[in-house]
Amino acid sequence: MVERNTQDSSVETDGGAVRQAARSHRETNYLDREVNLLRPSTPFMREHLRVVWTGFVLWALIVFGPVTLTYVAPGVMTTQMPVLGFPLHYFLVAIGAPTGALLLSFWYARKRDALDAKYGIDHSVAETDDGDATVAADGGTDE
């Protein structure tokens, strides 16, 4: 069987979404942009706000879910667990909520790192004129 190479080597790509996103992020002056939580003005802000709202909804479910389920279905939630002997609602609030919060913090950090990589934000240390090392939290320069 003969393998055919159908790719044309003379065709150039458009640079991809990551390069264009990083380029437009570098060209945007975020200090002059209006900050509106309901209608973000830049793609980075829109994506970051989506991550924040998703995390908030997950947090609310993790924290208030066991309490609400205990109110709605007290028979199921107040039964003793066979392994530890605690009621299910106690276990979910005492162990599930802190574990869920820890997992949410790892999830947020990974999503934020992915956004930073997509938009070319570098949080590396920059040297100032007096030799001190400073970090610009927004990925820009410290003036």
Side-chain angles (χ1 to χ4, degrees):
M1 185 162 183
V2 177
E3 184 176 325
R4 296 181 186 178
N5 187 358
T6 60
Q7 293 180 342
D8 184 10
S9 61
S10 65
V11 176
E12 291 188 26
T13 64
D14 63 354
V18 174
R19 290 184 186 165
Q20 179 59 34
R23 187 177 309 115
S24 64
H25 171 71
R26 284 190 206 102
E27 294 170 358
T28 302
N29 184 359
Y30 287 98
L31 297 176
D32 291 336
R33 300 302 291 253
E34 179 184 349
V35 176
N36 184 345
L37 293 179
L38 300 176
R39 295 184 56 180
S41 59
T42 63
F44 173 77
M45 290 179 188
R46 283 190 289 275
E47 290 186 44
H48 185 243
L49 190 61
R50 187 178 307 121
V51 170
V52 169
W53 278 110
T54 303
F56 175 73
V57 169
L58 291 173
W59 170 83
L61 288 174
I62 289 170
V63 171
F64 297 112
V67 176
T68 305
L69 284 175
T70 303
Y71 179 75
V72 172
V76 175
M77 295 298 286
T78 57
T79 59
Q80 300 293 322
M81 289 181 47
V83 177
L84 298 174
F86 291 109
L88 181 59
H89 71 281
Y90 178 81
F91 178 78
L92 288 176
V93 171
I95 303 298
T99 303
L102 184 64
L103 291 174
L104 273 175
S105 65
F106 283 119
W107 172 82
Y108 175 78
R110 290 186 55 91
K111 293 298 262 185
R112 181 60 198 257
D113 287 344
L115 272 178
D116 289 349
K118 179 179 179 180
Y119 287 95
I121 297 174
D122 186 15
H123 295 282
S124 62
V125 175
E127 292 291 326
T128 59
D129 294 336
D130 57 358
D132 291 339
T134 61
V135 175
D138 63 350
T141 59
D142 192 20
E143 296 182 28

